[in-house]
Amino acid sequence: MLDVPHEAKVRGHQRAPSDSKEFHEVTKRDALRLLEHDVDRLLETTEQARQPALKAEMDRFADLFGRFIQEEGPALDWNKIQKLPENAVMNYSNLKSPKNEQIRNMLDKLVVIKLNGGLGTSMGCHGPKSVIPVRSDLTFLDLTVQQIEHLNKTYDANVPLVLMNSFNTDEDTEKIVRKYKGFRVQIHTFNQSCFPRISREHYLPVAKDFEIEKDMEAWYPPGHGDFYDTFRNSGLLKKFIQEGREYCFLSNIDNLGATVDLNILNKLVGEERATTPVEFVMEVTDKTRADVKGGTLIQMENKLRLLEIAQVPPEHVDDFKSVKTFKFFNTNNIWANLAAIDRVLRERTLNMEIIVNNKTLENGTRVIQLETAVGAAMKCFDGAIGINVPRSRFLPVKKSSDLLLVMSNLYTLKNGSLVMSPQRMFPTTPLVKLGENHFSKVKEFLGRFANIPDIIELDHLTVSGDVTFGRGVSLRGTVIIIANHGDRIDIPAGAILENKIVSGNMRILDH
């Protein structure tokens, strides 16, 4: 039985016929009222001192839910999409490098923000994803700190690093951050919101109280679109504006290509600064067949905006995936003007499309979580542009196949940044597919390689089944290795596989 006031239940029977528009409007109003009532009940389960802050957070949640129930189907009219204007997307190669003596002044106008809300569970790791070692025993967070410290030392600057954590990663991150105390980097952290998951059946929170640690599954961080509100509420937005900082550069912590780019910064705050301010930059890169599901840039109602696959009407999904129609995809490397963020929040003109994420909890309860994406705010800013950047600025590590690339001799490590080896003849990375059953977890993956193979000349690698690699293996061209179920393949030390298919069973036994 739903915990609702008696009169709500009784009045619910005196409605217009269920097929009328009025019925749907009334049902929506009821759903929002019941949700707000339930959220108030949740707030009563927490101590008095925490209630005002939690109430503000729950008001934002109710606001999101209210928008969700008002929206009917994909919110996009496909016929309203306009051709991208000539100047909408700049080519990175047309950007000019700043003069050395101007760099310090430019860097003092910058804040670097990393989205650090994700856990390493999909790669079989406990705790925040940012503490997975990715190269030379250095974690995502180590590399980020090294990069910014290098900038600060080289140019005698003071670029701060801000981590947006979630309730999943906050406690662990706070402990880890202490080890950077002696580094030349100021590190700030703040938490994104913690919203209740709602039942798909009755649209009410599945949480019984506000003791989040007791029932983590009942709560979720609502996507990185939540950045704007929580950044302001943390007091950091105001602090940085008062310090004279002008832009933030925001990216996912697991994108190892997302380093501070001085040519883009020069366009925003340096000599190349446009006469009309560019309030928002989205770094995009050329779409390949591997990226067909990634968000893309469109022009609509004379504004540049992000289009995600979830917003596309079913009959146009193939158009969306076309590399010819939509040439670019969003890297989620975003540069945004701090004063403009403050303005859109004050004027309440921030409006991001809602992403509905369906989940099933361990106990079988089907829930939905409502999220927003940081790039979807693009249309709310003036003078927004895309910059078509080299693929090297998009190097995300989502799976062990990505880890294989970044740990290999394809890259060298320089001041916390990965640089592609000059020995690689072409700028694209190899396409690597590793079998889920034997390679998906980091520990398992590492146990299958005596050391990471030489892949300088690799185009394509597919590995499936129980396969191990000896020391000093070299993979070139297209290599496919498939161990049948119950069989095992051991690639011997020093083996050179060039354009080979290996299948069946191959075990190297010591005698």
Side-chain angles (χ1 to χ4, degrees):
M1 196 67 178
L2 298 184
D3 179 14
V4 295
H6 178 67
E7 69 272 20
K9 293 179 212 163
V10 176
R11 288 210 336 265
H13 292 292
Q14 305 160 0
R15 300 300 189 207
S18 63
D19 59 348
S20 73
K21 192 175 176 195
E22 187 193 347
F23 171 83
H24 288 296
E25 285 308 309
V26 165
T27 312
K28 283 175 181 174
R29 276 204 306 275
D30 275 356
L32 182 56
R33 196 162 48 83
L34 291 175
L35 177 107
E36 285 171 338
H37 177 268
D38 224 51
V39 164
D40 287 344
R41 181 184 59 75
L42 278 177
L43 283 168
E44 283 164 17
T45 68
T46 187
E47 60 264 27
Q48 206 83 34
R50 289 181 66 209
Q51 284 186 12
L54 292 174
K55 170 89 171 78
E57 197 161 288
M58 289 303 103
D59 285 350
R60 288 207 310 279
F61 170 67
D63 207 42
L64 192 64
F65 179 80
R67 280 178 46 218
F68 157 69
I69 54 174
Q70 287 304 327
E71 287 177 5
E72 303 281 344
L76 186 96
D77 181 347
W78 194 259
N79 298 321
K80 284 188 177 170
I81 295 178
Q82 302 158 299
K83 193 176 183 314
L84 275 182
E86 280 295 298
N87 57 353
V89 178
M90 280 191 72
N91 200 317
Y92 178 84
S93 59
N94 294 338
L95 294 177
K96 293 191 172 68
S97 299
K99 294 190 179 80
N100 238 18
E101 62 272 17
Q102 293 166 335
I103 294 174
R104 176 188 170 178
N105 187 33
M106 285 164 42
L107 288 172
D108 285 341
K109 292 175 180 165
L110 181 68
V111 179
V112 172
I113 297 169
K114 293 288 181 182
L115 303 172
N116 184 45
L119 289 167
T121 38
S122 65
M123 294 176 78
C125 297
H126 296 295
K129 187 174 180 184
S130 56
V131 300
I132 297 175
V134 284
R135 179 91 192 202
S136 313
D137 280 338
L138 297 170
T139 66
F140 291 104
L141 200 47
D142 291 337
L143 294 174
T144 302
V145 170
Q146 277 192 12
Q147 287 163 22
I148 296 173
E149 186 185 48
H150 174 68
L151 272 181
N152 287 340
K153 280 182 168 174
T154 306
Y155 300 105
D156 191 25
N158 181 22
V159 178
L161 169 63
V162 180
L163 302 173
M164 180 168 92
N165 301 330
S166 69
F167 66 92
N168 287 318
T169 62
D170 176 50
E171 203 178 314
D172 288 336
T173 303
E174 287 302 327
K175 288 178 194 158
I176 291 153
V177 160
R178 289 181 203 147
K179 76 173 183 181
Y180 305 118
K181 230 180 166 76
F183 286 69
R184 191 168 164 176
V185 184
Q186 280 180 18
I187 301 177
H188 305 268
T189 61
F190 70 96
N191 265 16
Q192 69 178 115
S193 304
C194 176
F195 285 176
R197 284 176 165 153
I198 46 184
S199 155
R200 219 179 309 175
E201 199 180 326
H202 49 60
Y203 279 4
L204 292 175
V206 293
K208 301 285 182 283
D209 54 43
F210 246 107
E211 288 190 51
I212 293 159
E213 290 76 19
K214 213 170 71 181
D215 187 10
M216 298 280 267
E217 267 210 317
W219 303 85
Y220 73 101
H224 39 59
D226 186 48
F227 157 73
Y228 303 100
D229 272 309
T230 49
F231 184 48
R232 175 191 54 186
N233 296 345
S234 72
L236 288 170
L237 176 62
K238 186 179 178 185
K239 168 187 159 64
F240 291 136
I241 290 173
Q242 284 173 344
E243 285 176 8
R245 299 191 187 273
E246 292 182 28
Y247 280 84
C248 63
F249 169 50
L250 177 143
S251 62
N252 299 353
I253 197 144
D254 64 5
N255 178 7
L256 294 175
T259 56
V260 172
D261 187 281
L262 296 175
N263 294 4
I264 296 176
L265 191 59
N266 193 26
K267 172 75 186 159
L268 300 175
V269 299
E271 271 195 339
E272 294 300 305
R273 179 190 285 233
T275 40
T276 52
V278 174
E279 291 187 348
F280 193 100
V281 170
M282 180 180 285
E283 290 186 37
V284 295
T285 193
D286 292 345
K287 194 195 265 195
T288 68
R289 285 201 299 276
D291 317 306
V292 291
K293 290 183 177 176
T296 192
L297 273 186
I298 58 167
Q299 179 87 350
M300 197 168 178
E301 292 163 346
N302 299 317
K303 281 275 196 183
L304 206 53
R305 59 165 74 193
L306 175 65
L307 174 64
E308 299 276 12
I309 195 163
Q311 298 160 254
V312 177
E315 66 275 18
H316 289 291
V317 167
D318 286 343
D319 299 331
F320 175 84
K321 289 181 175 178
S322 156
V323 179
K324 284 198 184 81
T325 316
F326 299 106
K327 297 186 181 74
F328 310 115
F329 81 98
N330 169 27
T331 63
N332 217 39
N333 299 347
I334 306 282
W335 303 71
N337 181 285
L338 298 175
I341 292 174
D342 187 51
R343 184 192 73 237
V344 296
L345 287 166
R346 270 187 294 106
E347 294 176 358
R348 300 180 68 86
T349 52
L350 192 66
N351 172 25
M352 292 166 283
E353 289 76 17
I354 295 170
I355 300 158
V356 181
N357 202 338
N358 292 296
K359 300 263 184 187
T360 302
L361 303 186
E362 277 181 13
N363 64 8
T365 307
R366 297 189 319 150
V367 295
I368 54 176
Q369 53 188 53
L370 305 175
E371 303 175 8
T372 54
V374 68
M378 186 177 208
K379 63 180 185 293
C380 312
F381 291 88
D382 297 331
I385 60 167
I387 295 182
N388 184 13
V389 296
R391 183 75 186 204
S392 57
R393 291 193 57 73
F394 184 66
L395 191 58
V397 180
K398 304 287 183 196
K399 296 177 171 168
S400 54
S401 50
D402 302 321
L403 208 49
L404 177 72
L405 296 176
V406 300
M407 293 176 85
S408 75
N409 62 342
L410 209 54
Y411 295 98
T412 52
L413 194 58
K414 197 177 171 197
N415 306 312
S417 301
L418 289 185
V419 183
M420 192 175 273
S421 164
Q423 289 173 284
R424 177 83 174 164
M425 298 301 283
F426 19 88
T428 55
T429 53
L431 190 61
V432 176
K433 293 177 185 171
L434 301 177
E436 286 292 309
N437 295 342
H438 296 84
F439 288 87
S440 63
K441 294 183 168 44
V442 173
K443 196 174 172 190
E444 230 172 27
F445 157 82
L446 292 173
R448 293 187 167 273
F449 294 93
N451 68 351
I452 300 295
D454 162 17
I455 60 170
I456 285 282
E457 294 177 45
L458 180 70
D459 297 325
H460 180 144
L461 173 68
T462 297
V463 182
S464 177
D466 187 359
V467 178
T468 66
F469 293 80
R471 187 166 289 279
V473 170
S474 184
L475 305 171
R476 301 169 188 174
T478 296
V479 178
I480 298 168
I481 306 168
I482 297 170
N484 299 331
H485 185 66
D487 290 341
R488 178 167 143 185
I489 294 177
D490 294 326
I491 304 297
I496 297 172
L497 299 181
E498 185 166 0
N499 297 323
K500 290 279 187 284
I501 297 176
V502 182
S503 65
N505 184 7
M506 185 170 92
R507 297 199 68 169
I508 311 293
L509 301 171
D510 292 331
H511 76 206

